[in-house]
Amino acid sequence: MKRVAVLISGRGSNLSALIAAQDDSYKIVLVISNVEGAAGLDKAGAANIPTQVILHNGKPREAFDGEMDVALRRAQPDIVVLAGFMRILSDGFVRGWEGKLINIHPSLLPAYKGTRVHERVIAAGETLSGASVHFVVPELDAGPVIAQASVPVHPGDTPQVLADRILAVEHKLYPEALKLLAADKVRLQDGLALFG
Ligand code: GRF
C-alpha cells in the first residue's frame, strides 16, 4: 500500500476521483492546498483525509517549496500527485521528488504544454485532444508520459465544453495511472517512463 499526498489549488474534481478509486494499492494520507478555502479541501475533509494549507503569497518560490517539502516529508508519501496545482515548482523541489511526482495535463502531450490549452487546440482546428498523466521534471509539462486518453474535438466546441469533455476522461485516467505507479509497474529511469 503506497502512501500518496495530493497537491491542489482549486475545486479538486481529480482529487475526488482519486479518493473514490483508492484500493489496496494506494491510500491518500495528506492533501495540501496553496489556496485557502479551495473546494478540494472540503472533499478531502469529507473523506477524513488530513489537509494542510500552505500559502505561497509573498514568498520566494524556494521558500514556499521548502515549506511544502517539510510538510510532505513529515507525511512520508511514496508518491506526490499534482491535481490542479497551479504553481510552478522549483527545480530543487522537483529533483527531490523525482520519479515520485506526477501531474495531469489536459492535452495530448507533448502537444499543447502550458496554459490556455483548449483555446489553442480549438484555434488550431485540431480534431483530437485529451489528457496526459506524466512524471514531473523541471521543464514545464515536459516529463515522460505514463498514460493518455483522447477525446474528439467537435466543430463549434467552446473551450469550456472541450475542458468538460476532457475532465470526464481525466477522472478515469488519473486513478489508472496512479495505480500503475503504486504497483511499481512504471518507473522513471534516464528520463523515460519504463513499464513492466
Ligand atoms: C484539470 O483540468 C487538470 O488537467 C489541470 O487542472 C484541472 C484541475 O481540475 N491540471 P480539478 O481541480 O481536479 O477539478
Side-chain angles (χ1 to χ4, degrees):
M1 167 92 72
K2 294 282 164 56
R3 296 169 65 80
V4 172
V6 183
L7 309 189
I8 62 164
S9 299
R11 80 192 143 180
S13 70
N14 277 289
L15 169 65
S16 286
L18 294 168
I19 291 171
Q22 286 178 113
D23 59 11
D24 55 9
S25 70
Y26 75 89
K27 175 186 163 70
I28 301 173
V29 296
L30 177 65
V31 171
I32 298 179
S33 171
N34 67 316
V35 175
E36 195 130 44
L41 289 169
D42 295 335
K43 292 170 177 162
N48 292 315
I49 298 167
T51 60
Q52 198 169 336
V53 174
I54 301 178
L55 300 176
H56 62 270
N57 313 60
K59 292 173 192 161
R61 195 177 299 286
E62 281 71 18
F64 169 69
D65 287 4
E67 279 184 48
M68 283 211 304
D69 199 64
V70 167
L72 287 171
R73 302 274 169 206
R74 206 176 286 141
Q76 298 186 306
D78 302 294
I79 300 169
V80 178
V81 172
L82 308 182
F85 182 70
M86 302 305 286
R87 297 289 300 167
I88 292 174
L89 295 162
S90 58
D91 291 6
F93 180 92
V94 170
R95 291 216 179 83
W97 292 96
E98 197 174 71
K100 299 175 173 180
L101 185 59
I102 61 174
N103 181 42
I104 191 160
H105 181 77
S107 79
L108 293 174
L109 291 174
Y112 299 98
K113 298 171 183 170
T115 56
R116 304 182 62 81
V117 169
H118 312 300
E119 284 90 332
R120 289 187 285 130
V121 165
I122 290 167
E126 303 284 1
T127 55
L128 206 61
S129 191
S132 307
V133 176
H134 63 95
F135 285 110
V136 177
V137 300
E139 195 190 328
L140 188 67
D141 298 330
V145 169
I146 297 170
Q148 288 183 313
S150 61
V151 302
V153 182
H154 296 308
D157 272 355
T158 62
Q160 189 57 55
V161 164
L162 180 55
D164 291 346
R165 191 177 302 131
I166 292 173
L167 195 65
V169 300
E170 288 183 36
H171 295 161
K172 297 191 189 113
L173 182 70
Y174 216 175
E176 293 280 330
L178 176 56
K179 284 178 188 182
L180 280 180
L181 184 59
D184 297 315
K185 289 181 177 157
V186 61
R187 65 186 190 281
L188 177 66
Q189 193 175 306
D190 303 328
L192 296 172
L194 293 188
F195 292 81

